[in-house]
Amino acid sequence: MNDTEVDYQNNYIRLNRKELINIMNESMSSSRYQHVLRVEQTALKLADKYDIDKEKVSIAALAHDYAKERPDAEMRDLIISENLELDMLQFGNNIWHGPLGAMLMKNEFELEDEEVLEAIKVHTIGGPMMGRIAQVIYIADYIEPKRSQKGVEKARELADLDLEKAVTYITGQTLKYLVKNKKKIYPKAVETYNTWVAKN
């Protein structure tokens, strides 16, 4: 994949792309960092195809896993101290790292754009009213080139045709996986499913 570099010009964040990349590189393992770069490039291809703000997409993609590798104890403390939804405490890092990542990016780097913050916040569980930036990150995280889960090829095909159809398919696949593997399902993931998949 040829790298696309976006020149940050709109002051969504007080960092340029290189500075943001360096922060992510220092904040996570090498394998997680490489995943983040692949998600950004995948998301930028979708942004180009669907005429979506590439700068916002780049920031959201690079920052989407900012909190992913924080220690659980630190994340629990932040959920409590920042008055986030306490029902998250019944779940794990997969649920926590999106909302916490959005909060940390806002607090530490003055990221104020609501579309970008939403995309970081909901990239794992989606949301009933996802905007287009959020849809792109949700999809790109699922279909980036190293992903090999069941259904990913179909998701890639749909992403190339219609963002909303891809979101619907990915949401259905995710819920199927959780049910099949008897995993606890976060209520907001059910809301996403009810809005995007169960339309009858």
Side-chain angles (χ1 to χ4, degrees), residues 82-154:
E82 297 292 330
N83 295 313
L84 298 182
E85 294 172 20
L86 294 181
D87 63 342
M88 280 200 292
L89 293 170
Q90 302 171 47
F91 297 85
N93 177 288
N94 275 344
I95 300 301
W96 302 342
H97 78 275
L100 285 172
M103 183 204 72
L104 290 169
M105 289 302 298
K106 183 173 185 175
N107 291 351
E108 295 176 11
F109 305 109
E110 298 166 22
L111 176 59
E112 297 288 344
D113 186 86
E114 290 301 325
E115 289 183 303
V116 178
L117 291 170
E118 178 204 25
I120 298 168
K121 181 178 179 180
V122 306
H123 77 270
T124 57
I125 58 167
M129 304 294 290
M130 274 188 284
R132 280 162 66 80
I133 308 289
Q135 290 176 39
V136 163
I137 303 307
Y138 182 76
I139 295 166
D141 190 35
Y142 190 88
I143 68 168
E144 62 97 333
K146 293 278 184 166
R147 297 293 200 196
S148 58
Q149 69 274 25
K150 184 177 179 183
V152 71
E153 288 301 333
K154 174 77 169 175

Side-chain angles (χ1 to χ4, degrees), residues 43-57:
L44 286 171
K45 281 188 170 181
L46 292 173
D48 190 52
K49 181 174 183 63
Y50 294 104
D51 194 24
I52 297 169
D53 189 314
K54 291 189 186 66
E55 183 173 343
K56 289 187 181 187
V57 163

